[in-house]
Amino acid sequence: MAQQATPVRTARLGRAFGPEPTAVSGVVLLLPGGDEVSDRRPSPLLATASVRALGRRLARAGRAEGLAAHVVHYRYRGWNGSEAHLARDAEWAADAAVRRYGDVPVCLAGLDMGGRAALHAAGHEAVNSVLAVAPWLPEDDVAAEPEPVRQLAGRRVLIVHGTNDERTDPELSFRLAARVKKANRDVCRFEVHGDRHGLHQYRDEVLALAEDFVMGALFGRPFSRPVEDAFAAPPPIGLRMPLAAGFGSTLRR
């Protein structure tokens, strides 16, 4: 009896949030969280849920400029060591965006393990910016080698982290940002004081900050004064910028 071939897993782009623009001039790829080790396939519904609010917010904000926002559906739930499956799927997604929309700038926006994937995949030639929200990063003393940063040269990078994050260590994202800042001045990091991993306490402020950054990075909108100051400030000031309560209240939709 002939054996059936095992189906090859493939990553895919989810449907665009909101009405897809007739002319797309920028793309944001939303990278959900994942596990450190897992060969299971992610649940599409659960994956979308973690970044749905961000996707809707960005799609509305960038509709006039022609923004397309898609969730990346991974092949596996896990990063899986040197396989770095989530980062490879993020790179594939950037390729897919170029095939679909042409030569347009891409922002990688990741949460948790998706934040790590966004940072790793930033070297793709279409990527001009990275948003990493509460990124999962390995402990310095147990990692086989330091997290790479050379791929972030020439990209605008924003990291956001709650100071009371119980799942991903905010100190590790600060150390990474400090390493990146040595070679790339267009890096800043905001701290959400008292908030935890899900950043629920200051959800509106975090969404407003994400909108401010993504619209500026992809379409050249002026950044808000706090974001401009964070980019311009030397470390550690610009890498420990507090996210003020009420940030972006005029941007809320």
Side-chain angles (χ1 to χ4, degrees):
M1 186 174 181
Q3 291 184 336
Q4 290 185 336
T6 302
V8 177
R9 291 189 187 182
T10 57
R12 65 183 181 87
L13 296 183
R15 292 180 58 185
F17 284 89
E20 192 167 318
T22 54
V24 172
S25 54
V27 177
V28 60
L29 298 174
L30 299 152
L31 301 165
D35 297 331
E36 188 172 357
V37 178
S38 176
D39 60 1
R40 297 177 62 187
R41 185 182 291 277
S43 163
L45 290 178
L46 290 177
T48 303
S50 67
V51 292
R52 188 178 297 136
L54 178 58
R56 287 197 300 254
R57 175 78 179 235
L58 296 177
R60 286 196 301 269
R63 188 168 298 150
E65 280 90 348
L67 176 68
H70 295 270
V71 175
V72 178
H73 293 281
Y74 306 129
R75 294 169 295 164
Y76 301 92
R77 284 175 54 176
W79 183 271
N80 300 326
S82 61
E83 294 292 337
H85 281 128
L86 306 193
R88 294 187 183 187
D89 289 349
E91 292 173 352
W92 171 90
D95 275 336
V98 171
R99 290 193 300 269
R100 184 167 182 171
Y101 297 116
D103 185 18
V104 298
V106 173
C107 175
L108 299 177
L111 170 69
D112 186 86
M113 194 70 76
R116 187 187 187 193
L119 292 162
H120 272 246
H124 190 284
E125 60 184 3
V127 174
N128 82 339
S129 50
V130 173
L131 168 64
V133 180
W136 186 97
L137 297 168
E139 294 284 349
D140 297 343
D141 56 351
V142 299
E145 56 186 34
E147 287 290 279
V149 296
R150 292 179 61 185
Q151 76 282 1
L152 293 163
R155 277 68 175 164
R156 283 200 167 104
V157 181
L158 169 63
I159 297 173
V160 188
H161 221 140
T163 58
N164 288 357
D165 193 322
E166 72 287 0
R167 176 175 164 83
T168 62
D169 188 347
E171 187 61 25
L172 294 178
S173 73
F174 168 75
R175 293 178 199 168
L176 178 74
R179 290 176 54 218
V180 178
K181 191 75 172 181
K182 292 179 180 179
N184 181 5
R185 66 182 302 273
D186 289 329
V187 177
C188 66
R189 179 178 171 276
F190 278 75
E191 295 186 333
V192 189
H193 288 287
D195 219 340
R196 303 179 73 177
H197 185 65
L199 298 169
H200 298 305
Q201 186 177 351
Y202 293 97
R203 175 179 177 273
D204 288 341
E205 286 84 350
V206 171
L207 291 177
L209 177 63
E211 176 186 332
D212 188 292
F213 172 74
V214 173
M215 295 303 107
L218 287 181
F219 304 118
R221 285 191 195 175
F223 292 117
S224 64
R225 182 61 182 272
V227 174
E228 283 189 348
D229 289 348
F231 276 130
I237 298 171
L239 305 180
R240 293 197 185 275
M241 189 68 69
L243 182 61
F247 176 91
S249 57
T250 59
L251 295 175
R252 290 179 191 162
R253 303 172 190 276

